[in-house]
């Protein structure tokens, strides 16, 4: 049975409404990061001599190139911008693609809303293609806006749009991966975890290819290597990125074939007869909350811990490069590092950046609570003897504990990576640096909790939006010498780069207090309002 054209268009518009806010946020992150990096390079390296010195110090440093990629024409604004941020934005684009596709294709079905869509005349394949077309349109729009932003800051047109196109093509590829895993698994958690694991492996393979003298050929077998091989501003080769788009089409075709051979609400890899029910954590609210949250804690700990471990491995090499770059020291000073002579200085800067994913984990717990409410699962709990305040506070306390666990794991793995190269940084210092990120995450958790209590439908967007805006204020504001009062608006500005600098106890207490106040406001508001469906 074919899908009538007007029905397919309606499905497309519905999918666009579900995804456009997230797309706008990601696009803003790409554009602001690209523009800020280009402007920072102009400020830090104003002369040809300083840029040439940077290139010479990096070209033979395989540890540094393992993180950022091969240094091609980094003595130019375009080359440096591409080298510095493309690896990170490629990862973020991949995360966007798999988060969106698993949310629309598996999350909506898991919560029962897909059934309402398919109860009409649209087919399962038609609905999947409508969702894919909506995400493709948003990726194309992001490509145009990101490329235009790079051109506006002075980068050549061809190179700017190759950067933008390659980055968003990674998003399209992993959206296709997420579409396939959404057909294989019956719940979004497993679909997301398997797609995310492939993204992590792609990153590790790319690091291995760029961080050694003999494995450069491996770059051709990883999607992030294809992105790097487009070589914007250094003998541009856009054809190297074609496998990204081809892979996206192949995965979409596979997903559209699989969606018609499985039952609604099931996955092709479900093992019904082997599921064991473990009831030991189901005897109370606390145990049930731990049971539902532990998967997210493990996944985020693994992802952030992998990032800090790799940076720990590269600490000695990166420190040696930056120590020789006097022009970089002024930029580091704006981020709170007075001098840069020890591995501790780099590790302190690293944890200022690691505070971002830790904060995102915190607000993701608010999104999880909202999903429970919107799907109706929380109704089954609240109709029992569990009160609203108790459920809310239990979820939020578990979130704070989860944030602390994620931070501790990231600190331990950062220390392990640094210890492998004998940097001499003690474990207690790294644990202090990791825990130092927790107060800012608690603040954002409080903001998200308050939004959940007052405007529940917008709580996920509010939480993520506040984190992203705060981070961009700190990063771009510091690099562009923004006034002090502007930087003070960012919670990340008050995260001291420990162990390079002492922990700001006063700032930590203030941020924690604000977060707890948000928790109290959200709890009271949730107790007084109606349960809000999607």
């Amino acid at each position: 049975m074919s899908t009538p054209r007007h029905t397919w268009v309606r499905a497309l518009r519905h999918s666009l409404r579900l995804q456009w806010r997230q797309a706008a946020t990601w696009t803003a992150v790409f554009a602001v990061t690209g523009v800020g990096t280009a402007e920072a390079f102009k400020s830090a390296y104003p002369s040809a001599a300083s840029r040439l010195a940077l290139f010479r110090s990096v070209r033979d440093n395989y540890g540094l190139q393992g993180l950022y990629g091969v240094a091609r024409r980094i003595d130019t604004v375009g080359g440096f911008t591409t080298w510095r941020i493309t690896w990170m934005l490629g990862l973020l684009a991949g995360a966007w693609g798999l988060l969106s596709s698993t949310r629309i294709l598996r999350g909506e079905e898991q919560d029962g809303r897909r059934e309402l869509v398919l109860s009409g005349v649209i087919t399962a394949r038609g609905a999947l293609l409508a969702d894919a077309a909506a995400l493709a349109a948003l990726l194309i729009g992001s490509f145009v806006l990101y490329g235009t932003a790079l051109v506006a800051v002075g980068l050549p047109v061809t190179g700017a749009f190759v950067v933008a196109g390659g980055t968003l093509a990674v998003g399209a590829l992993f959206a296709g991966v997420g579409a396939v895993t959404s057909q294989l698994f019956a719940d979004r958690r497993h679909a997301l975890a398997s797609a995310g694991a492939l993204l992590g492996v792609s990153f590790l393979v790319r690091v291995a290819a760029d961080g050694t003298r003999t494995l450069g050929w491996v770059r051709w077998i990883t999607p992030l290597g294809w992105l790097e091989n487009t070589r914007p501003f250094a003998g541009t080769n856009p054809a190297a990125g074609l496998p990204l788009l081809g892979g996206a089409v192949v995965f979409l075709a596979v997903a559209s074939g699989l969606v018609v051979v499985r039952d609604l609400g099931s996955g092709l890899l479900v093992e019904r007869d082997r599921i064991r029910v473990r009831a030991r954590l189901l005897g109370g609210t606390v145990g049930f909350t731990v049971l539902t949250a532990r998967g997210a804690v493990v996944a985020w700990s693994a992802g952030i811990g992998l990032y800090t471990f790799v940076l720990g491995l590269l600490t000695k090499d990166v420190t040696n490069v930056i120590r020789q770059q006097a022009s970089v020291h002024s930029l580091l000073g704006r981020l709170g590092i007075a001098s840069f002579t020890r591995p501790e200085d780099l590790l302190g800067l690293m944890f200022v950046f690691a505070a971002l994913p830790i904060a995102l984990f915190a607000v993701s717990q608010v999104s999880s609570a909202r999903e429970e409410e919107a799907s109706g699962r929380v109704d089954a709990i609240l109709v029992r003897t569990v009160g609203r305040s108790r459920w809310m506070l239990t979820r939020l306390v578990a979130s704070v504990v989860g944030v602390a666990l994620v931070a501790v794991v990231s600190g331990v793995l950062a220390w392990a990576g640094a210890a492998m190269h004998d940097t001499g940084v003690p474990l207690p210092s790294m644990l202090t640096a990791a825990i130092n990120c927790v107060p800012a995450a608690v603040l954002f958790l409080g903001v998200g909790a308050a939004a959940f209590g007052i405007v529940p439908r917008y709580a996920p967007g509010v939480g993520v939006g506040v984190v992203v805006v705060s981070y961009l204020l700190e990063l771009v504001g510091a690099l562009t010498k923004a006034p002090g009062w502007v930087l003070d608006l960012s919670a990340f500005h008050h995260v001291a780069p420990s162990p390079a600098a002492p922990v700001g106890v006063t700032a930590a207490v203030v941020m924690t207090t604000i977060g707890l106040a948000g928790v109290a406001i959200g709890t009271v508001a949730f107790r007084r309002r109606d349960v809000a469906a999607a």
Side-chain angles (χ1 to χ4, degrees):
M1 181 179 69
S2 62
T3 300
R5 180 178 178 183
H6 69 279
T7 302
W8 189 87
V9 171
R10 289 176 181 173
L12 174 63
R13 292 171 60 185
H14 173 70
S15 188
L16 285 171
R17 284 196 297 269
L18 292 176
Q19 300 185 68
W20 76 268
R21 292 184 181 87
Q22 186 181 57
T25 301
W26 286 111
T27 302
V29 170
F30 296 152
V32 174
T33 303
V35 170
T37 302
E39 292 296 337
F41 177 77
K42 295 176 185 178
S43 174
Y45 303 96
S47 66
S50 62
R51 296 178 181 183
L52 182 59
L54 170 67
F55 172 72
R56 288 174 175 171
S57 64
V58 171
R59 65 182 175 184
D60 295 323
N61 191 313
Y62 286 91
L64 193 62
Q65 294 189 62
L67 175 61
Y68 295 119
V70 177
R72 298 186 178 98
R73 295 299 308 277
I74 63 170
D75 54 333
T76 65
V77 178
F80 177 85
T81 301
T82 301
W83 175 72
R84 182 63 182 81
I85 67 172
T86 298
W87 72 274
M88 177 179 64
L89 295 188
L91 278 174
L92 291 179
W96 171 17
L98 61 89
L99 284 169
S100 293
S101 61
T102 56
R103 174 194 169 216
I104 294 298
L105 298 178
R106 175 49 63 185
E108 291 287 299
E109 183 173 334
Q110 184 177 342
D111 292 339
R113 292 188 287 270
R114 195 71 163 183
E115 185 175 355
L116 297 176
V117 175
L118 298 181
S119 63
V121 296
I122 193 168
T123 64
R125 177 177 290 165
L128 183 147
L129 293 177
D131 291 329
L135 182 56
L138 294 172
L139 287 169
I140 291 172
S142 182
F143 154 70
V144 172
L145 293 174
Y146 179 30
T148 301
L150 294 179
V151 171
V153 81
L155 274 62
V157 175
T158 301
F161 280 97
V162 168
V163 170
T167 301
L168 275 304
V170 173
L173 175 66
F174 282 96
V177 173
V180 172
T181 59
S182 294
Q183 312 311 315
L184 298 178
F185 298 97
D187 64 277
R188 189 192 178 199
R189 180 167 61 91
H190 287 97
L192 185 58
S194 56
L198 183 57
L199 178 60
V201 170
S202 298
F203 173 66
L204 289 178
V205 172
R206 204 277 301 157
V207 169
D210 291 336
T212 62
R213 297 176 182 271
T214 59
L215 294 178
W217 61 270
V218 176
R219 201 177 300 118
W220 287 102
I221 66 174
T222 171
L224 296 177
W226 301 337
L227 170 62
E228 184 181 329
N229 284 333
T230 57
R231 300 197 305 269
F233 312 108
T236 305
N237 180 26
L242 292 178
L244 294 169
L245 296 177
V249 173
V250 170
F251 280 117
L252 177 60
V254 172
S256 66
L258 295 178
V259 74
V260 297
V261 298
R262 66 173 179 84
D263 294 331
L264 183 67
S266 68
L268 295 176
L269 298 183
V270 172
E271 298 179 351
R272 297 180 180 83
D273 296 334
R274 298 184 182 180
I275 296 176
R276 296 179 58 189
V277 177
R278 296 178 173 88
R280 64 178 180 271
L281 292 177
L282 299 179
T285 308
V286 175
F288 180 71
T289 301
V290 171
L291 182 65
T292 56
R294 66 183 182 182
V297 172
V298 171
W300 282 83
S301 296
I304 300 174
L306 174 63
Y307 167 71
T308 57
F309 177 76
V310 170
L311 290 182
L313 280 174
L314 302 176
T315 295
K316 183 172 279 189
D317 288 335
V318 177
T319 301
N320 290 336
V321 171
I322 298 180
R323 187 185 293 138
Q324 302 169 12
Q325 297 297 316
S327 56
V328 180
H329 294 177
S330 62
L331 292 176
L332 297 173
R334 299 172 206 166
L335 294 173
I337 299 178
S339 62
F340 203 100
T341 57
R342 309 166 302 161
E344 289 91 331
D345 300 326
L346 177 64
L347 291 170
L349 180 62
M350 177 187 74
F351 270 98
V352 171
F353 294 133
L356 172 62
I358 293 173
L360 289 174
F361 167 72
V363 297
S364 75
Q365 297 307 293
V366 176
S367 300
S368 178
R370 172 55 191 157
E371 287 181 6
E372 286 191 35
E373 180 184 17
S375 64
R377 295 193 298 271
V378 74
D379 295 355
I381 299 175
L382 298 181
V383 297
R384 309 286 294 181
T385 58
V386 178
R388 290 191 179 199
S389 297
R390 181 182 173 189
W391 176 81
M392 179 82 165
L393 289 174
T394 302
R395 285 299 306 261
L396 295 175
V397 170
S399 299
V400 173
V401 174
V403 167
L405 289 174
V406 170
V408 168
V409 170
S410 67
V412 171
L413 290 179
W415 169 81
M420 290 179 68
H421 280 191
D422 195 24
T423 58
V425 180
L427 177 59
S429 295
M430 296 313 305
L431 291 177
T432 300
I435 296 299
N436 184 46
C437 300
V438 173
V442 172
L443 183 151
F444 292 118
L445 178 65
V447 172
F452 176 78
I454 299 171
V455 285
R457 289 182 175 85
Y458 301 101
V462 169
V464 174
V466 171
V467 172
V468 171
V469 170
S470 182
Y471 186 76
L472 292 177
L473 275 176
E474 164 63 4
L475 180 61
V476 179
L479 296 178
T480 57
K481 301 181 180 180
W485 66 268
V486 174
L487 296 176
D488 286 337
L489 296 175
S490 169
F492 294 106
H493 185 64
H494 303 286
V495 178
S498 175
V503 173
V505 177
T506 301
V509 171
V510 171
M511 287 190 289
T512 302
T513 302
I514 294 173
L516 294 178
V519 167
I521 292 171
T523 302
V524 172
F526 177 64
R527 188 176 61 194
R528 295 182 176 181
R529 69 169 172 81
D530 293 333
V531 174

